[in-house]
């Protein structure tokens, strides 16, 4: 519905897809011209949405861009739901003195991308009205294993951590490593935030603002989604906007006036 709203109002459309669409394809690094074979309903839905966005572009001449996100992390990313990502889960457990749960042997790898870099790239895509006929990987080919992430969490927190291994999860891919050539072609000068820098910033935020997880849950009940430093407000089924959430706490969004004719949103804590 959102892409059709963009079509009706002549707007450029940016879609958030996922590296999970590569699925069974074990070749690394992943480039956008590879075959895809999703392993989960979530990944299948992302691939279907990519096809829909591409079809709108071909049929109506819309300017579109689909990003494939690779394990985005950073402040505002909650650890209190069933689909929580590994970094907030590790930090939440380590800071509470609980063991870190690792599914499988922990040697599976992911291409972690700090949220500031993601937001900056999305902002450039919107401002520059960047388009591409294919989806674009939004990651930088710097994978880490899950055990390496656990080691970095222990190092930066200055505490030892226990690892609790559990059975591998159905549908999990073994390795995820992005080929970022197309990303650099479209957004020259893009520089990823180093992993340890992003992790330290996330730890600093979590130490100061952990009680505010509750306000994120409340925000969801109000129809506001705030995950990984990206906040999006869905007004009915009409439209959505993505912005960088300030590191000083959750940012709540409200539309300034009804309907899709609104050109901007107001932000408040």
């Amino acid at each position: 519905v959102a892409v059709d709203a963009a079509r009706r109002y002549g707007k450029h459309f940016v879609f958030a897809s996922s590296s999970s669409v590569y699925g069974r394809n074990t070749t690394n690094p992943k480039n956008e011209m590879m075959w895809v074979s999703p392993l989960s309903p979530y990944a299948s839905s992302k691939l279907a949405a990519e096809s829909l966005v591409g079809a709108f572009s071909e049929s109506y001449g819309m300017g579109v861009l689909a990003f494939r996100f690779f394990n985005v992390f950073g402040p505002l990313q909650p650890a209190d739901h069933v689909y929580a990502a590994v970094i907030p889960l590790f930090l939440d457990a380590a800071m509470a003195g609980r063991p870190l749960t690792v599914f499988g042997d922990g040697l599976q790898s992911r291409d972690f991308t700090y949220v500031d870099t993601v937001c900056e790239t999305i902002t450039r895509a919107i401002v520059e009205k960047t388009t591409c006929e294919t989806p674009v990987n939004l990651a930088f080919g710097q994978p880490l294993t899950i055990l390496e992430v656990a080691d970095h969490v222990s190092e930066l927190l200055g505490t030892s951590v226990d690892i609790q291994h559990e059975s591998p999860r159905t549908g999990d891919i073994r390795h995820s490593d992005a080929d970022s050539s197309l990303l650099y072609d479209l957004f020259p000068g893009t520089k990823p935030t180093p992993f340890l820098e992003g992790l330290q910033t996330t730890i600093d935020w979590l130490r100061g603002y952990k009680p505010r997880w509750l306000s994120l849950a409340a925000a969801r009940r109000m129809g506001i989604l705030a995950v990984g430093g990206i906040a999006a407000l869905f007004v009915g089924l009409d439209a959505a906007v993505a912005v960088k959430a300030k590191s000083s706490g959750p940012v709540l969004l409200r539309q300034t006036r009804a309907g899709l004719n609104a050109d901007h949103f107001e932000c408040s804590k």
Side-chain angles (χ1 to χ4, degrees):
V1 176
V3 68
D4 189 49
R7 176 192 64 81
R8 287 187 283 117
Y9 287 89
K11 301 296 184 181
H12 177 241
F13 190 82
V14 175
F15 175 67
S17 186
S18 167
S19 60
S20 62
V21 300
Y22 292 112
R24 290 184 179 84
N25 192 329
T26 59
T27 303
N28 279 291
K30 313 289 188 191
N31 72 67
E32 296 85 352
M33 301 308 294
M34 287 179 172
W35 58 271
V36 293
S37 182
L39 290 171
S40 68
Y42 167 80
S44 296
S45 71
K46 288 295 188 181
L47 183 58
E50 285 183 4
S51 298
L52 180 64
V53 170
F56 265 76
S57 176
E58 291 292 334
S59 298
Y60 303 110
M62 288 178 58
V64 303
L65 182 62
F67 282 120
R68 287 177 177 167
F69 291 177
F70 284 66
N71 297 91
V72 180
F73 75 99
L76 295 183
Q77 193 170 32
D80 60 351
H81 64 95
V82 68
Y83 298 111
V86 65
I87 288 179
L89 285 174
F90 276 8
L91 292 176
D92 185 67
M95 294 174 77
R98 302 191 308 272
L100 311 189
T101 299
V102 172
F103 295 97
D105 60 12
L107 297 179
Q108 60 270 39
S109 63
R110 299 291 182 267
D111 202 340
F112 294 96
T113 315
Y114 186 60
V115 65
D116 276 13
T117 306
V118 173
C119 291
E120 289 162 4
T121 307
I122 292 173
T123 300
R124 283 189 63 180
I126 293 170
V127 171
E128 298 171 10
K129 298 189 184 306
T130 306
T131 65
C132 190
E133 293 181 352
T134 67
V136 179
N137 292 335
L138 210 176
F140 296 89
Q142 301 172 344
L144 295 170
T145 68
I146 301 304
L147 291 181
E148 286 175 328
V149 172
D151 287 342
H152 288 315
V153 166
S154 175
E155 173 191 351
L156 293 186
L157 288 177
T159 184
S160 60
V161 297
D162 294 324
I163 304 294
Q164 177 179 305
H165 289 270
E166 296 190 3
S167 299
R169 294 184 297 188
T170 302
D172 266 3
I173 61 175
R174 184 64 174 169
H175 299 291
S176 182
D177 177 7
D179 180 334
S180 54
S181 301
L182 181 56
L183 180 70
Y184 282 121
D185 286 344
L186 293 172
F187 302 98
T190 296
K191 295 181 180 179
T193 302
F195 178 80
L196 289 180
E197 179 183 326
L199 184 60
Q200 184 63 64
T201 302
T202 305
I203 290 170
D204 293 343
W205 178 85
L206 188 56
R207 280 172 168 160
Y209 293 96
K210 189 172 183 181
R212 298 196 182 196
W213 289 131
L214 295 175
S215 63
L216 292 179
R220 292 193 200 95
R221 290 194 295 271
M222 296 166 59
I224 296 169
L225 172 68
V227 178
I230 300 175
L233 171 61
F234 289 84
V235 184
L237 293 176
D238 287 333
V241 63
V243 300
K244 177 182 174 183
K246 296 182 182 298
S247 60
S248 57
V251 172
L252 306 185
L253 304 179
R254 61 181 183 274
Q255 195 169 10
T256 57
R257 59 184 186 275
L260 273 177
N261 290 326
D263 291 323
H264 64 283
F265 290 73
E266 293 180 348
C267 301
S268 62
K269 291 184 183 178

